[in-house]
Amino acid sequence: MRLITKHTLTKMVQKILWVYLTNTFIVTDSTVLRISKPSSRIVLISITHDNCLRVNEFRDEDRVAEYRDKLAHREIGFFCELDGNAVGSIWASINESEVRKIVRMYMPLMPKDALIHDVVTGERCRGMGIGPFMVGALASILLNEYGVSRVIIDVNVKNVPSLRMMEKVGLQIKERVLYISAFGTLVGEKLLKRYV
C-alpha cells in the first residue's frame, strides 16, 4: 500500500474545496525588476520531458509526475542549476487564448497574461538568493521573450518568506484577493484591497 504524502493529500483537498487569500504582484515592465544573480555558477535550464527527473535532485521523488503533468498542460518551467546540480524550479502559465481563462483552478488570466507559480528552492540552498533570481529572471523572460503584457505572481498572505522574496525582486503588492474554488472550478473571487 502506497503512503499518501502531505503534499498529495493537500492537492486532493484543493480539488474539492480551496479558499485562498492572496497578495498579488503584477509586473508589466521588466525594468522594475531587481534581478541579482547570486553566483556566476547559476543558470536557468528549461524543464522538458527529457530532464524533468532532475526534480529528484532537490525535491521528493513523487514530484516527477507533477512536473510531467505541468508540461502536458503547456506550462513553462525552469530548473535553477548551481554547479551542475538542480537546486530549484519555477513555473509559469500563459493565457495564449483570445478570452479570459482560469488556470490552476482559481486564477483568472486575461489574454497575454502569465502567472508565475510553484517557486521552489531546495532546502540546502535556501537563503542564497536563488528564489528571487528565478522570479526576476522568469518575469523578464515572459515579458521580453514570450511577449506577455502582464506577469502575475500571487502569494498566500501567510507565506512570509515568499512575500520577502517579492520585496527582494523589487515588487510591491498590488491587490489582496480572495479566491474560492470547488471541484477544480473557480466559484468566487473578491478583490479585498487595491494598493497604490
Side-chain angles (χ1 to χ4, degrees), residues 16 29 43-44 51 57 60 63 72 99 112 128 143 155 161 182:
I16 297 168
D29 179 1
V43 292
L44 286 181
N51 71 5
E57 294 174 31
D60 296 333
R63 299 298 176 128
V99 296
K112 297 194 78 155
M128 295 173 57
L143 290 165
V155 178

Side-chain angles (χ1 to χ4, degrees), residues 167-178:
E167 288 176 18
K168 290 176 184 174
V169 179
L171 302 179
Q172 296 179 349
I173 299 168
K174 298 293 184 189
E175 300 172 342
R176 178 165 286 175
V177 183
L178 176 68

Side-chain angles (χ1 to χ4, degrees), residues 26-185:
I26 299 171
V27 185
T28 57
D29 179 1
S30 62
T31 62
V32 303
L33 300 166
R34 279 186 286 207
I35 307 172
S36 58
K37 197 170 185 180
S39 165
S40 61
R41 304 172 325 215
I42 293 256
V43 292
L44 286 181
I45 308 252
S46 291
I47 299 174
T48 67
H49 286 286
D50 294 331
N51 71 5
C52 67
L53 290 171
R54 295 195 65 194
V55 68
N56 293 337
E57 294 174 31
F58 64 97
R59 294 191 88 180
D60 296 333
E61 204 173 303
D62 65 341
R63 299 298 176 128
V64 173
E66 178 183 330
Y67 279 44
R68 285 191 173 130
D69 187 55
K70 289 177 189 300
L71 291 169
H73 285 95
R74 298 179 40 99
E75 294 181 23
I76 298 161
F78 287 91
F79 285 124
C80 189
E81 192 178 83
L82 172 64
D83 293 332
N85 297 308
V87 296
S89 64
I90 187 168
W91 290 90
S93 298
I94 300 174
N95 181 0
E96 298 178 66
S97 74
E98 299 293 322
V99 296
R100 181 178 186 238
K101 178 180 174 183
I102 306 299
V103 298
R104 305 197 42 78
M105 298 187 298
Y106 70 94
M107 178 57 73
L109 294 181
M110 297 306 290
K112 297 194 78 155
D113 278 357
L115 172 69
I116 289 180
H117 54 87
D118 293 332
V119 182
V120 178
T121 302
E123 282 186 39
R124 63 184 170 87
C125 294
R126 291 187 183 148
M128 295 173 57
I130 291 170
F133 167 71
M134 289 191 296
V135 169
L138 182 53
S140 181
I141 289 167
L142 291 167
L143 290 165
N144 298 318
E145 294 177 27
Y146 284 86
V148 303
S149 54
R150 290 187 325 157
V151 176
I152 299 166
I153 308 159
D154 65 308
V155 178
N156 186 307
V157 296
K158 295 180 181 179
N159 189 340
V160 175
S162 290
L163 292 170
R164 270 195 238 117
M165 179 172 57
M166 294 306 127
E167 288 176 18
K168 290 176 184 174
V169 179
L171 302 179
Q172 296 179 349
I173 299 168
K174 298 293 184 189
E175 300 172 342
R176 178 165 286 175
V177 183
L178 176 68
Y179 298 101
I180 301 171
S181 177
F183 301 102
T185 303

